[in-house]
Amino acid sequence: MKGLELSKQFYEEYGVPMLSEFAEVAPKIAVALAGSGSECFGYDDAQSQDHDFEPGFCLFLPDEDTVDRRTAFLLERAYAKLPREFMGYTRQPLSPVGGNRHGVIRLGEFLTEKTGCADGILTTDEWFMVPEQSLAEVTNGLVFRDDSDLFGAVRRRLAYLPSDVRKKKLAGHLLLMGQAGQYNFPRLIGRGDTAAAQLAVYEFVKSALHAVFLLNGAYLPYYKWQFRALRDLPHLTNLADPLAQLMCTDNGTENAKMKSDIIEEMAAAIIGAMQERGLTNFGGTELEGHAYAVNDTVEDGNLRNQHILYGV
């Protein structure tokens, strides 16, 4: 069973009755499964169940002025008393010092951990400082109850990057793709430096993945889920296999030619996607030229004038 469905059923069977005993504060609490863990993204499988996998949910509380410490303690105690086993899965004991992925969590503490801000309101500079995987962990999963829109308001606010931040990041990754893939890879192959050529491939793939997610308006998750998540995107999913081929083949003579062709084909696909979205007016095939064209569309003058790699 997938973790999201397990959590939902556990909440409906035991969480709903538990919260009925806290009728006064229940409407102020957001109940969800969100945060770290493959199950929060829907990527869990049988192997995922070897650690941190259990029936459970998060009770996100507002500040202490709204739900005081004593009520929070009583909620923690009630949650801890829920059945230890459910549908063949065993719950893990809650840590008394915090850091739990499930149970009672102050929303402000959760947001501080993920974004550095207790209210999730980020300045332009802070949008660049917070890893996208952390923003994905705020906005993933499922919300089961949120009467007061406590969690929903935050999730809408952090749903995706502001337009200028997105463009600045995209410009930087396009430049790195061009430098690593179109320029340095063939030069390193020509020198016979196949190890450095593979580093160039890695840099190209890493920035290409980021560019594809940026063009899809989706956060780039933790590295081990990036290929998995790419296949679920609405656009440019056909690049998953060529990207994997770049990573998983050596740099022998035949493969080097094949890799150069793949790099150019992927560059053309990404350029085409940008042209469809009106993000570039550069006419060439060099990603570097498109990088500066995208940077020129950043509306905030101060941000536009920052180094083109500012967002990388």
Side-chain angles (χ1 to χ4, degrees):
M1 172 176 282
K2 302 290 278 186
L4 283 169
E5 180 59 29
L6 180 67
S7 173
K8 183 173 183 289
Q9 291 194 29
F10 185 67
Y11 164 69
E12 289 176 348
E13 188 161 342
Y14 294 106
V16 171
M18 184 199 86
L19 283 177
S20 69
E21 300 176 10
F22 296 86
E24 185 175 339
V25 297
K28 304 173 185 177
I29 298 170
V31 186
L33 182 65
S36 304
S38 57
E39 70 276 10
C40 296
F41 290 96
Y43 299 155
D44 51 307
D45 53 24
Q47 188 172 349
S48 305
Q49 297 175 18
D50 64 356
H51 72 291
D52 294 334
F53 186 89
E54 63 174 356
F57 50 86
C58 306
L59 294 158
F60 290 114
L61 271 56
D63 58 35
E64 293 181 10
D65 290 339
T66 307
V67 176
D68 60 33
R69 290 188 182 184
R70 173 166 173 74
T71 303
F73 169 75
L74 293 174
L75 283 163
E76 288 174 344
R77 189 165 67 176
Y79 183 85
K81 289 181 178 179
L82 296 180
R84 291 292 307 280
E85 293 189 5
F86 180 71
M87 301 186 70
Y89 298 94
T90 302
R91 293 174 58 215
Q92 302 171 31
L94 294 175
S95 169
V97 295
N100 299 300
R101 290 186 175 183
H102 302 148
V104 176
I105 303 170
R106 290 284 181 187
L107 181 57
E109 294 176 3
F110 176 78
L111 293 173
T112 299
E113 176 193 343
K114 301 299 182 185
T115 72
C117 300
D119 56 9
I121 299 175
L122 305 179
T123 65
T124 297
D125 287 340
E126 287 168 343
W127 276 106
F128 289 104
M129 295 169 62
V130 180
E132 286 190 37
Q133 69 185 53
S134 296
L135 294 165
E137 291 172 359
V138 176
T139 55
N140 67 9
L142 291 174
V143 178
F144 307 135
R145 177 176 179 174
D146 190 10
D147 298 6
S148 62
D149 200 31
L150 174 70
F151 199 21
V154 171
R155 285 162 68 90
R156 289 193 299 276
R157 187 157 59 241
L158 298 176
Y160 197 57
L161 305 168
S163 177
D164 274 357
V165 174
R166 178 189 184 191
K167 291 175 182 177
K168 194 70 178 184
K169 286 192 170 198
L170 179 59
H173 284 291
L174 292 170
L175 183 65
L176 292 180
M177 287 175 65
Q179 289 177 343
Q182 291 182 309
Y183 183 75
N184 281 322
F185 175 73
R187 290 171 65 84
L188 290 165
I189 289 295
R191 292 192 176 104
D193 194 344
T194 55
Q198 191 60 13
L199 285 177
V201 166
Y202 170 73
E203 291 297 329
F204 175 84
V205 170
K206 189 168 68 169
S207 282
L209 281 165
H210 216 132
V212 168
F213 275 81
L214 287 163
L215 288 168
N216 275 276
Y219 288 128
L220 189 74
Y222 186 53
Y223 70 87
K224 73 176 182 178
W225 300 119
Q226 290 174 10
F227 275 91
R228 169 67 176 78
L230 171 56
R231 298 180 191 279
D232 288 341
L233 295 176
H235 307 292
L236 298 170
T237 55
N238 61 314
L239 300 187
D241 287 341
L243 281 169
Q245 194 171 6
L246 288 175
M247 292 288 289
C248 300
T249 53
D250 63 36
N251 291 317
T253 303
E254 292 184 5
N255 284 342
K257 173 64 168 64
M258 174 268 293
K259 285 187 172 184
S260 289
D261 290 343
I262 288 176
I263 286 169
E264 291 302 332
E265 290 167 4
M266 295 190 65
I270 287 173
I271 290 167
M274 290 191 298
Q275 290 171 335
E276 290 175 1
R277 292 159 175 76
L279 290 169
T280 178
N281 57 10
F282 181 70
T285 60
E286 301 83 9
L287 286 166
E288 181 174 347
H290 290 281
Y292 285 101
V294 171
N295 191 71
D296 286 344
T297 68
V298 175
E299 294 183 7
D300 184 322
N302 290 329
L303 181 57
R304 184 174 59 251
N305 292 332
Q306 292 285 350
H307 193 282
I308 194 168
L309 295 179
Y310 179 77
V312 175

